[in-house]
Amino acid sequence: MKKIIVTGSCGFVGFNLINNIDKNTEVIGLDSLNDAYDSRFKELRLKYLEKKPNFKFHQIDLANMDTLNKNSHIFENCEAVVHLGARAGVRQSFDDPEKYLMDNTLGTTNLSLKVKEYDVPQILIASTSSIYGDTGKQLAVENKDELFNPPSVYASTKSFGETLAKNILDDTSTVIKISRFFTVYGPFGRPDMSILRFIHWIASGQDVIIYGDGNQRRSFTYISDIVDGIQKLLKYKKEGTFNFGSNQTWSLNEVIELIEKHIEKKGKIINKERAYKDVDVVLPSLELSKKILNWQPTTNIEDGIKKTVEWYKEYESSIEKLNFKYEYE
Ligand SMILES: NC(=O)c1ccc[n+]([C@@H]2O[C@H](COP(=O)([O-])OP(=O)(O)OC[C@H]3O[C@@H](n4cnc5c(N)ncnc54)[C@H](O)[C@@H]3O)[C@@H](O)[C@H]2O)c1
């Protein structure tokens, strides 16, 4: 049986990835279950994951090398590490830079050292469109690394994490793959991200708060396309950095209209002051992902929002009392 480690296993992407991994692969999930957002969302996801016979969970903080050392055995005969564990979110990163540095930079460093010690054949590191900043009319192109000037603490720690992993694993046989995701949404999503908050606020009749005029545009990407991208990247034999996003952008206002249509209810919109360092538009180049991995997004936003609303309605009773606090991505 193949064995892989997924960090951030109880997060949004980790949960959806593990749910799609076949029964013949042993999956070791690592997560600190931190409080970056209501950790009951993570417990809810863990509850479902623990029903899978091929899944084992370890509550581990990657920033703590002692704990990682005590659990070293999990790296034995591991074929791949999928590193999704991170503290995400642009705005909050300015309030608490130290936590971002610990989770995203030290966490990635410690994990890379373990990967090196156990000669793990490959590590896939999740990174973010946030490191490109505002792309304006240009496309975010993966290999223009020299142009990077990460515009937030979050983006800096993620970008530094990419570099540190490459430094630590340089001259080893481990193949490093970087996947940069663009604003992901879908079932079991993060309650601090815009789409799930908007759905919750509209469905529950609460004010829908938009920071700014709602014309800022994102390359919203449905979770199953992200999972497909990770799986294709795991099969790819070489190193590389790839964008996984949509080839189109939508404004927050357009997204709200779609949500209103599927919930069949109008939201009470309240516009507030634009968030610090919020960018206008982020659009990826998908050339490399298409050409090399044969990957492209297949879920259009209409279907993606419809499925997310359907999921919300099904799970409403489990999530209605949980916190949907503000974050911006
Ligand atoms: N969701 C998006 O739109 C998006 C966009 C770009 C990049 N990403 C990246 O994708 C990855 C997954 O994001 P997500 O949306 O699932 O976020 P998430 O917050 O839902 O999941 C991340 C998980 O990592 C865990 N974690 C954080 N620090 C840890 C540590 N030190 N040790 C162990 N576990 C730790 C958290 O408890 C959480 O469960 C992250 O690396 C994020 O930076 C996400």
Side-chain angles (χ1 to χ4, degrees), residues 12-13 31-32 37 42 61-62 84 103 154 158 184 190:
F12 168 38
V13 178
D31 203 299
S32 59
Y37 55 81
K42 300 174 186 181
D61 180 354
L62 296 170
L84 303 169
D103 284 334
Y154 168 55
K158 293 294 287 183
V184 193
R190 276 180 22 217

Side-chain angles (χ1 to χ4, degrees), residues 250-267:
W250 293 270
S251 71
L252 297 183
N253 292 331
E254 287 164 350
V255 162
I256 286 176
E257 273 177 34
L258 281 175
I259 295 172
E260 288 174 333
K261 180 177 148 193
H262 289 292
I263 298 186
E264 295 177 346
K265 198 168 163 185
K266 278 272 174 207

Side-chain angles (χ1 to χ4, degrees), residues 11-30:
F12 168 38
V13 178
F15 168 84
N16 280 285
L17 171 69
I18 296 168
N19 253 341
N20 275 280
I21 290 177
D22 69 82
K23 288 195 285 274
N24 300 321
T25 303
E26 182 187 349
V27 182
I28 309 289
L30 305 189

